[in-house]
Amino acid sequence: MSENQPEKALFQMIAEALTPEGTLPKDFSLPKEKVQNKLIFADGAMDGIKLYHTQPKTVDIEPVCQALLLISQGQEETGKAQLTTALEQHSVIEVIDALHKWIYENHDQLDPGKLSEFAIRSIMTSTNPELVKLGLTIMELLNTDKQEALKKVIRALALCNEFTLYCLFIMRSWTRGNDEIFDLMQKVHGWGRIHCVNQIDPANRLIKKWLLDHGCENSVAPAYSALTVAKKCDLIEQIQREDLSAEDWSGITLMMDGLMAEGPVAGISEIEDRETLFAGYLAQTEHFPMTLATVQNLIAIAQYIDGEQVKMPEIKKQCLELLKSSACYVTVSAAMEQGKGFEEALKLSIPYEEKAMTWLKQNPVEHCMAARLLMASENACDEILALYADCLPLDTMASGPSDVLGLGKDYQDYHALAAVLQSLKLYPGKGVEFIRCALLCPVISCRTYALDTLESWVKLAQTSLKGIAPELLIVLEQASELEVKEELKTRILTLKQSA
């Protein structure tokens, strides 16, 4: 076991972290092994990305199958070692369906007792998340409904976003499985909640009500659950009710935000009667206080109608009337006093520059999105660059390219750097020190934005990089040697060759 791996069994860590309310602290996270140039994912994120953002692919499960045969024959340690190696190549989420099919087809060669004993030991004692998942995957095929001690273990593991999905596959077969899922859904907040929303049967009014009000509340993005919730709680029917509560409206507004995002997953395009939904949402805005979230949805609806070139003249007219209303103006103005709403102000032609600059100067890192808007004006560009040059530790940030996503508060400086980089595209030769830092920093998106900016400079200036910022040629040389992502290295080499 390496020094970065946990010493305690993962189940034990989870059990010890449980609060008196039977939940995990919101900041709970399994230990992550830190390996050079390897992405580090939040609990459940890697499986979530594979489920929602990659196409299923055929993988070779033979090494996993052979390992299970060994375990079934009593050679558990050898089989376990082979499993560990095999699951480093393909995670459980990639093999689960094919593995279940193989187990069904080869059950006569397998010893269910030895397999279930191994599965339970893996669940209870393993320090390897993939072995825990594999144990759960095996137990999904067995009847666990009467095994109360094991059910307690599964309930505890289900509270961790990394294992929720695999526990749900087991829980749904229990006698009161849907009730179990409903209880769990209210206790998890990240990918675990997304999976619960997907698995729950909206069997009664209580569940439908909860889905309407809270189904899209998760720490990942509302879009992942918006379409599912819209269907399960009959959104079009709900939006036409005359007795919506403030809590209902808040949930609907978040759901609409997720539907209109249409980014990570399908959203509004999958709603058949969009016009009725839009009409109902616009009508309901008259009954509730205008919020910035409402304004954002109104803008999104108007842009959707324009972008999709759909014929909804009355909907668009109502949208524009609401966006031009005094309530909307007051809402956006109040948001700007709190350091928010600047992008909405820009879209609605409400003056925002002075307030945005005030907030930006107070905390350039936290309000970096304001910088992106303000840097559209060349007059403000130099002042903002000087502001960030003073507050960002650029030399420290240029610690070398790595395979880091840069998500979360620990990477706020890099989020600010990314905002600056995206704004520099219009200004060939400006902010060279930020480009240097980004090309040599560990965060993938920053290096990508730096290359986007350099390519934009070359195109805008109609000349080579040598004629724009010759000092960056040395940095490109360094970056080409250190870059760990092949696609980025290719772009760097192309820029070098054309210089």
Side-chain angles (χ1 to χ4, degrees):
M1 183 182 296
S2 75
E3 63 180 7
N4 289 318
Q5 287 182 316
E7 294 182 357
K8 288 182 180 178
L10 298 179
F11 167 69
Q12 184 182 355
M13 293 183 62
I14 291 167
E16 291 176 358
L18 291 176
T19 67
E21 293 75 31
T23 63
L24 286 174
K26 285 192 176 182
D27 61 352
F28 176 86
S29 177
L30 296 177
K32 304 294 187 293
E33 185 177 6
K34 295 180 180 178
V35 178
Q36 182 81 18
N37 297 331
K38 184 177 179 181
L39 290 174
I40 297 175
F41 291 90
D43 289 352
M46 184 173 71
D47 286 347
I49 290 168
K50 287 181 178 178
L51 276 174
Y52 285 91
H53 297 283
T54 62
Q55 292 294 323
K57 60 181 180 180
T58 301
V59 300
D60 180 15
I61 66 166
E62 185 65 19
V64 177
C65 299
Q66 290 304 313
L68 291 181
L69 280 172
L70 288 173
I71 292 167
S72 185
Q73 293 163 6
Q75 301 179 58
E76 182 168 317
E77 288 307 312
T78 303
K80 181 179 175 182
Q82 291 187 17
L83 270 179
T84 302
T85 301
L87 293 175
E88 287 175 355
Q89 301 301 314
H90 299 294
S91 59
V92 173
I93 196 68
E94 296 175 287
V95 304
I96 185 170
D97 291 334
L99 184 59
H100 278 168
K101 183 173 184 290
W102 179 86
I103 291 173
Y104 278 125
E105 292 175 349
N106 296 273
H107 67 275
D108 55 333
Q109 301 178 49
L110 300 169
D111 185 325
K114 286 188 173 64
L115 275 186
S116 64
E117 288 170 8
F118 166 73
I120 292 171
R121 271 193 293 275
S122 297
I123 291 167
M124 297 285 294
T125 67
S126 181
T127 61
N128 182 333
E130 292 302 313
L131 283 181
V132 174
K133 294 174 192 176
L134 186 71
L136 292 167
T137 296
I138 293 171
M139 295 311 297
E140 181 189 348
L141 301 177
L142 303 174
N143 186 354
T144 58
D145 197 20
K146 304 300 182 184
Q147 300 182 50
E148 289 304 322
L150 180 59
K151 288 171 78 171
K152 287 182 180 179
V153 172
I154 292 168
R155 290 187 190 106
L157 285 171
L159 295 168
C160 175
N161 290 304
E162 187 72 16
F163 304 125
T164 310
L165 179 62
Y166 304 89
C167 295
L168 286 169
F169 292 155
I170 298 173
M171 295 167 77
R172 63 188 180 182
S173 68
W174 294 348
T175 302
R176 295 183 61 255
N178 207 53
D179 293 337
E180 295 268 3
I181 294 172
F182 185 41
D183 180 63
L184 174 63
M185 185 164 62
Q186 298 170 70
K187 295 177 178 178
V188 289
H189 304 279
W191 282 101
R193 177 167 290 184
I194 293 168
H195 297 317
C196 285
V197 166
N198 194 44
Q199 292 292 325
I200 193 80
D201 176 10
N204 55 53
R205 290 183 181 180
L206 181 63
I207 295 175
K208 283 189 176 183
K209 164 73 172 170
W210 193 93
L211 285 171
L212 181 69
D213 295 348
H214 307 291
C216 292
E217 293 175 358
N218 63 66
S219 58
V220 183
Y224 285 104
S225 293
L227 183 61
T228 301
V229 174
K231 292 178 177 179
K232 290 189 175 184
C233 71
D234 301 318
L235 177 58
I236 290 181
E237 179 181 323
Q238 300 283 353
I239 202 72
Q240 297 176 76
R241 283 171 43 200
E242 296 180 358
D243 61 344
L244 287 177
S245 67
E247 194 173 32
D248 295 337
W249 178 243
S250 177
I252 287 171
T253 295
L254 185 61
M255 201 186 316
M256 286 294 292
D257 171 60
L259 289 171
M260 300 309 299
E262 196 91 307
V265 291
I268 194 66
S269 61
E270 294 297 310
I271 301 291
E272 289 187 11
D273 195 355
R274 293 184 285 278
E275 188 163 4
T276 298
L277 176 59
F278 291 155
Y281 187 78
L282 297 179
Q284 291 288 358
T285 60
E286 304 289 340
H287 305 298
F288 297 94
M290 184 77 74
T291 65
L292 185 62
T294 312
V295 174
Q296 291 166 342
N297 283 339
L298 294 174
I299 292 172
I301 292 170
Q303 290 178 332
Y304 175 82
I305 293 172
D306 285 340
E308 296 296 317
Q309 297 182 333
V310 292
K311 294 182 180 180
M312 298 183 189
E314 190 58 33
I315 299 294
K316 185 175 179 181
K317 178 185 175 184
Q318 291 177 44
C319 248
L320 295 178
E321 287 175 354
L322 285 166
L323 289 170
K324 291 175 183 177
S325 68
S326 59
C328 183
Y329 182 90
V330 168
T331 298
V332 174
S333 298
M336 287 193 287
E337 295 295 336
Q338 303 297 318
K340 304 173 184 177
F342 301 121
E343 188 171 356
E344 289 70 34
L346 172 64
K347 290 176 180 177
L348 299 176
S349 301
I350 297 173
Y352 71 93
E353 293 85 351
E354 185 177 342
K355 289 178 181 177
M357 185 63 83
T358 298
W359 279 97
L360 186 62
K361 288 179 177 178
Q362 288 179 17
N363 193 328
V365 172
E366 183 178 343
H367 295 287
C368 59
M369 295 308 294
R372 285 188 60 187
L373 302 179
L374 292 167
M375 285 178 70
S377 166
E378 192 167 6
N379 294 333
C381 184
D382 291 336
E383 182 181 0
I384 293 172
L385 289 179
L387 194 64
Y388 281 107
D390 186 54
C391 76
L392 290 179
L394 296 177
D395 289 339
T396 304
M397 293 167 68
S399 59
S402 187
D403 212 356
V404 175
L405 290 178
L407 306 176
K409 291 184 179 180
D410 291 343
Y411 292 91
Q412 281 189 318
D413 285 348
Y414 294 95
H415 302 165
L417 175 61
V420 170
L421 292 167
Q422 292 175 80
S423 304
L424 286 175
K425 288 182 182 179
L426 299 174
Y427 308 113
K430 280 188 184 290
V432 168
E433 66 270 38
F434 297 96
I435 299 290
R436 176 195 172 278
C437 171
L439 287 172
L440 300 175
C441 86
V443 177
I444 301 166
S445 59
C446 288
R447 303 200 304 279
T448 302
Y449 290 138
L451 292 172
D452 290 345
T453 297
L454 292 179
E455 290 163 355
S456 175
W457 285 3
V458 170
K459 188 174 181 180
L460 279 174
Q462 293 292 295
T463 187
S464 68
L465 188 60
K466 184 177 181 180
I468 302 170
E471 62 269 47
L472 286 177
L473 296 181
I474 298 174
V475 182
L476 281 176
E477 186 68 37
Q478 289 178 279
S480 67
E481 294 175 3
L482 297 172
E483 181 55 60
V484 298
K485 303 287 285 186
E486 284 302 318
E487 61 269 30
L488 297 186
K489 181 174 284 194
T490 300
R491 293 174 66 185
I492 292 169
L493 293 172
T494 301
L495 279 167
K496 280 177 59 185
Q497 290 165 3
S498 63

